[in-house]
Amino acid sequence: MVDLIQIAGLGEPRAEGASVEIENDRPSFDCNQIGGDELGVGNYPAEAGYMASGYSPPGPLLVPISGLPGFVMHDHGRLYVSCTRDSKKITLKNSISIDSTELDNPEERLAMARLLVDTTNKARARFGCAESANALPLPSELPDIPDFGVDRAKPVSEKWDSDTACPPEMRSFLPFYGSADKKVWAMGTPLPSKLISVCDVRVGEGDYLTVDEISGRPKVAFVIYKGIFAKMRHELPEYSRSEYDVMCHGKPVSYRIYAPSEDDSSRWSEQLSDKHANNVLLDHFARAAAERAECPLPE
C-alpha cells in the first residue's frame, strides 16, 4: 500500500494512526487513515439490496473512470467489479476516500483512480477471483470536469444557459410542471457513466438560473441505471418493475423516476404522491430514452 500511495502521488504514507482490517473468510479489507491527508481504501462485497433500493443524485464533480464501471470525484471514488470464487459470483464494491478540498485537481483525481484500480486488481488476485487473470487497465487519463460542474460546487453567483444536458425531447413535456411565474427546465449528469445517467428536472425564475436555484429547487429526477445497478433491480423481485427493467443490446437497463421526499426534501423518494401523473412522465421518459438507445420498449 505504501508503494501504491507513493506511485500515485497522493501524499506521504504513514503508519501512525493507520488501521487495517482484513477478513480472511470473505473478500474484504479496509485501510483507513494511511496517508497524510487521511487517505482510506476499501474492498468488500456490495449489498444487492442497497444497490437496488437507493438513489442519490450524482455530484457535479463526478467523472467516469474510462471504460470501467466506476467514477471518481475530488474526495472519493467507487468501482464495482465482479469476483468469481469457489463457483460463487459476487460484486465487489471498491472505494477510495481522501480528505481534500481541491475541487478541480486533475492530477489528484487521476492518481485516486489509478490507486483505486490498482488496489482492486491486487485485491481480486489475493482473494482468488477468477477475473484476476485479466487485470483491469490503469487509467491514463480522465474526462475533464465540465465548467458548469465546477461552478455548481462553489459558492458563486454565475449564471448559465438552462438548455444544459438533457435531450431536446425531454423538454417537450416539461411544461406539465410549469406555472405562470416559474420556468421549468432540465439538466443531466455532467458526464454519464457506465452505471447511471440522470435527467434532473428543476424549477426556477426566468430564462437563466443562479447556482442557489439550481441546487435547491429540484422537481423530479429521471434515472437510467446501467450495469450492476440495473442488474440488481432486474434480479431482486422487491425492487423490479418488469416494464422498465429491460435488456438493451444484451445488457440490463432500468428506468426510474424520483422526487424529493415529502418528509425530507433533501432526500429522494420513489414513493410519489401523484403516482398516475408521474407514471405517465416515467413512461414518456423511458420510451424516449429507449428509442435513442435503439431498444424500444414493448407497447
Side-chain angles (χ1 to χ4, degrees):
M1 186 63 68
V2 169
D3 291 341
L4 291 176
I5 296 172
Q6 291 175 328
I7 292 171
L10 287 173
E12 188 63 30
R14 59 181 172 84
E16 183 180 353
S19 64
V20 179
E21 295 183 9
I22 297 176
E23 296 186 37
N24 292 321
D25 58 341
R26 71 187 197 127
S28 176
F29 80 81
D30 280 291
C31 299
N32 296 306
Q33 297 185 358
I34 51 179
D37 292 323
E38 294 190 358
L39 175 71
V41 295
N43 177 291
Y44 39 89
E47 296 181 11
Y50 178 82
M51 285 192 290
S53 64
Y55 167 67
S56 296
L61 300 178
L62 177 151
V63 296
I65 301 176
S66 304
L68 297 176
F71 64 85
V72 65
M73 293 181 63
H74 68 290
D75 62 353
H76 73 277
R78 301 285 185 269
L79 181 62
Y80 295 85
V81 298
S82 59
C83 173
T84 305
R85 187 177 67 166
D86 299 331
S87 300
K88 293 183 178 181
K89 191 167 188 175
I90 62 173
T91 297
L92 298 180
K93 176 185 177 182
N94 311 276
S95 62
I96 184 170
S97 62
I98 188 170
D99 184 12
S100 174
T101 58
E102 292 192 66
L103 299 179
D104 187 13
N105 185 331
E107 290 79 16
E108 185 172 278
R109 282 187 288 116
L110 179 58
M112 288 172 62
R114 290 175 64 86
L115 180 57
L116 179 61
V117 173
D118 206 351
T119 55
T120 299
N121 283 331
K122 288 178 169 57
R124 288 208 295 187
R126 184 177 69 82
F127 301 150
C129 303
E131 292 82 357
S132 64
N134 298 305
L136 303 172
L138 295 183
S140 58
E141 61 180 354
L142 294 175
D144 294 331
I145 297 174
D147 290 339
F148 73 87
V150 176
D151 286 341
R152 283 178 63 195
K154 296 179 180 178
V156 299
S157 59
E158 295 180 14
K159 302 176 181 180
W160 57 86
D161 199 314
S162 61
D163 283 349
T164 310
C166 290
E169 58 266 33
M170 285 298 301
R171 291 188 288 276
S172 66
F173 63 90
L174 294 183
F176 176 89
Y177 276 108
S179 63
D181 59 345
K182 302 291 183 183
K183 178 177 177 64
V184 180
W185 54 283
M187 64 184 297
T189 47
L191 291 171
S193 72
K194 296 177 82 66
L195 297 171
I196 190 171
S197 297
V198 179
C199 178
D200 189 354
V201 179
R202 295 178 178 262
V203 62
E205 307 282 353
D207 293 332
Y208 294 87
L209 301 174
T210 68
V211 171
D212 288 341
E213 287 171 330
I214 285 172
S215 62
R217 303 171 82 176
K219 291 290 288 187
V220 66
F222 299 96
V223 182
I224 303 174
Y225 290 105
K226 297 167 280 187
I228 186 63
F229 287 168
K231 184 173 182 288
M232 292 299 98
R233 285 167 175 79
H234 283 223
E235 293 182 355
L236 299 179
E238 61 268 39
Y239 301 112
S240 64
R241 296 189 64 178
S242 58
E243 65 270 44
Y244 300 121
D245 292 328
V246 297
M247 300 298 290
C248 183
H249 305 302
K251 297 181 179 179
V253 176
S254 294
Y255 302 104
R256 293 292 189 273
I257 184 174
Y258 296 85
S261 168
E262 293 181 353
D263 299 325
D264 181 357
S265 61
S266 67
R267 301 177 66 87
W268 292 82
S269 173
E270 198 176 347
Q271 305 302 316
L272 308 178
S273 56
D274 190 346
K275 262 195 164 178
H276 174 72
N278 284 290
N279 278 341
V280 170
L281 286 181
L282 173 59
D283 197 67
H284 187 132
F285 163 77
R287 292 187 182 281
E291 289 283 350
R292 288 197 307 275
E294 298 182 348
C295 302
L297 297 181
E299 294 295 336

